[in-house]
């Protein structure tokens, strides 16, 4: 893993953005793997709400101004956040443009899971948190809003960052062969 410590108007910004759909291993990465990489990877506090509310590049200037280059000390800066993929019922492909305002040469890591399995897992979580829609109504709402339209999300990121800078990791690969999954992730970082 190498770090260029990319800067935006004199402030450090993330070099890698992890766009983790919920239920795709994001928590395992954030709480299990990334802390093990702390000597070479600095995981910043998420700025997803700043990005969500930004209407222009000026709205994002300085959002990482609290990053201390002495503390980071040559480590790769990473932002990892499920919310960057979207909300409960809708994906946010426009985040690609907003992230490009922050760092147009960033690498993007998108974690996905088969739609059939992720929908069941998301619905289970939705019910546990007090959701009241039945399964069919829940799925209909996702479909109406194009939630989990991976191709659209991927295409937006490729449009802004280029195919070589946008990487997809599959939850099924993590479940099947964690060692290969981690090696692949490390090669991306």
């Amino acid at each position: 893993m190498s770090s260029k410590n990319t800067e935006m108007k004199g402030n450090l910004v993330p070099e890698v953005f992890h766009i983790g759909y919920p239920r795709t291993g994001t928590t395992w990465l954030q709480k299990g793997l990334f802390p093990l990489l702390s000597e070479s990877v600095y995981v910043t506090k998420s700025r997803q709400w700043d990005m969500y509310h930004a209407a222009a590049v000026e709205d994002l200037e300085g959002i990482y101004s609290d990053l201390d280059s002495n503390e980071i000390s040559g480590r790769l800066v990473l932002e990892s956040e499920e919310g960057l993929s979207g909300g409960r019922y809708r994906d946010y492909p426009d985040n690609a443009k907003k992230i490009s305002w922050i760092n147009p040469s960033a690498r993007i890591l998108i974690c996905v899971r088969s739609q059939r399995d992720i929908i069941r897992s998301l619905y289970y979580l939705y019910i546990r948190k007090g959701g009241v829609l039945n399964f069919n109504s829940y799925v209909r709402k996702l479909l109406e809003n194009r939630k989990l339209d991976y191709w659209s999300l991927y295409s937006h990121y490729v449009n802004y960052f280029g195919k070589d800078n946008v990487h997809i990791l599959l939850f099924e690969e993590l479940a099947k062969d964690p060692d290969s999954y981690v090696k692949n992730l490390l090669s991306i970082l």
Side-chain angles (χ1 to χ4, degrees), residues 102-162:
I102 295 167
N103 182 358
S105 61
R107 284 171 283 158
I108 306 299
L109 174 62
I110 303 172
C111 294
V112 299
R113 182 176 184 177
S114 83
Q115 280 99 341
R116 184 189 71 196
D117 292 338
I118 197 171
I119 288 170
R120 280 189 278 186
S121 186
L122 287 171
Y123 183 70
Y124 171 75
L125 184 63
Y126 167 77
I127 292 299
R128 272 191 26 214
K129 290 185 173 186
V132 296
L133 294 176
N134 66 38
F135 185 74
N136 289 338
S137 297
Y138 179 80
V139 171
R140 190 173 11 265
K141 190 166 184 101
L142 296 181
L143 293 173
E144 287 169 357
N145 291 308
R146 298 187 65 193
K147 177 71 176 168
L148 306 173
D149 181 357
Y150 300 149
W151 180 251
S152 178
L153 190 80
Y154 171 78
S155 297
H156 274 78
Y157 280 97
V158 167
N159 184 50
Y160 285 97
F161 297 96

Side-chain angles (χ1 to χ4, degrees), residues 64-121:
Y64 294 96
S65 61
D66 62 322
L67 296 182
D68 181 350
S69 60
N70 293 321
E71 181 183 352
I72 292 170
S73 181
R75 294 182 283 170
L76 177 133
V77 179
L78 165 73
E79 170 145 356
S80 174
E81 178 57 55
E82 286 179 351
L84 292 173
S85 68
R88 179 183 289 181
Y89 301 115
R90 182 182 314 273
D91 291 341
Y92 297 150
D94 285 345
N95 277 342
K97 175 174 58 175
K98 295 174 181 186
I99 290 172
S100 77
W101 293 342
I102 295 167
N103 182 358
S105 61
R107 284 171 283 158
I108 306 299
L109 174 62
I110 303 172
C111 294
V112 299
R113 182 176 184 177
S114 83
Q115 280 99 341
R116 184 189 71 196
D117 292 338
I118 197 171
I119 288 170
R120 280 189 278 186
S121 186

Side-chain angles (χ1 to χ4, degrees), residues 31-51:
K31 294 187 178 188
L33 184 63
F34 294 154
L36 297 174
L37 303 173
S38 63
E39 288 187 21
S40 54
V41 176
Y42 178 88
V43 181
T44 183
K45 144 179 112 66
S46 176
R47 303 323 199 263
Q48 77 165 357
W49 293 113
D50 295 310
M51 288 181 230

